[in-house]
Amino acid sequence: MAQLQVKQRIDYTHRHNTFLGRHGWLRLTPAYSVKTVDELIGSCAEDAQVLDPFAGTSTTALCAAYQGYKAATVEINPFLVWLGDAKTSHYSPRSIKTTSEQVFSLSQILRSEDASPVLAPPIHNINRWWNPQTLSFLCKLKKGIDEIKLDDERSRTLLLLAFCRTMMKLSKADFNHQSMSFKDSDSFEFFGMENHTGEYEKVYSEDLKFVLSSASDNPGGSAEVINGDARFLNKLVNHKFDLVITSPP
């Protein structure tokens, strides 16, 4: 019997989210398609409350909030809690303007001879992830973001989101397979140049522009990202929900 060849529906995978505003802020392969969640939520009543016990990248919570619903989601990974909160937060025009204005300040810090980088994370064989020049730039950039004076911490959140995008983009990690692999060299090795800072800055500047382009698109509903273990869900959430979506949905 001949096998039926089924074409993969890209619009039902994480690839569909790549350029969809906040959903595309960080590319993390386990994320599922926005379209899937929107279709599931679409039939809810106007005052419905949505729960996702396993937040991941908070796709469900953000979709629900964008449709005007109240959502809650639980996540045990602190970084994903931070990411979910960042994606579902409200950003004022002032926060966005303040963030945009920091590019020059960060550039000055990066080019300063007195700039001291943060310590590189204790990752085994870290040069497999980033070449030494890239790692040096990222450590200086992170130190600049940490130390820059801001009245609005939401601005720092946006700067850090762009940093995460740049950190992934400049890495040697290859995300074209479900099980991540490494490239022999990264795409941003600027051969023949003594100082790569300017080229790396351009990458970060573009990533910040991408983040800011959808930061003003605040959801009409609300979402709460709870740091906790979903096995003890009854201790983390204390009211009933009209729709529960797990991942994969």
Side-chain angles (χ1 to χ4, degrees), residues 19-25 66 87 89 91 96 158 208-219:
F19 301 106
L20 285 180
R22 296 187 183 194
H23 289 289
W25 276 356
Y66 268 138
K87 288 171 68 174
S89 289
Y91 298 94
I96 296 168
L158 294 170
L208 186 58
K209 285 180 183 178
F210 180 82
V211 170
L212 293 180
S213 67
S214 52
S216 61
D217 187 17
N218 293 309

Side-chain angles (χ1 to χ4, degrees), residues 77-133:
N77 184 326
F79 172 75
L80 293 178
V81 173
W82 174 83
L83 176 60
D85 180 68
K87 288 171 68 174
T88 57
S89 289
H90 282 236
Y91 298 94
S92 68
R94 181 172 177 269
S95 294
I96 296 168
K97 184 175 183 294
T98 300
T99 307
S100 180
E101 291 171 346
Q102 301 313 310
V103 174
F104 178 76
S105 298
L106 287 173
S107 179
Q108 294 296 101
I109 293 172
L110 288 167
R111 295 170 186 276
S112 171
E113 294 182 359
D114 298 327
S116 58
V118 297
L119 294 176
I123 299 175
H124 174 68
N125 195 12
I126 195 170
N127 287 329
R128 189 184 186 193
W129 290 83
W130 298 279
N131 68 53
Q133 288 175 315

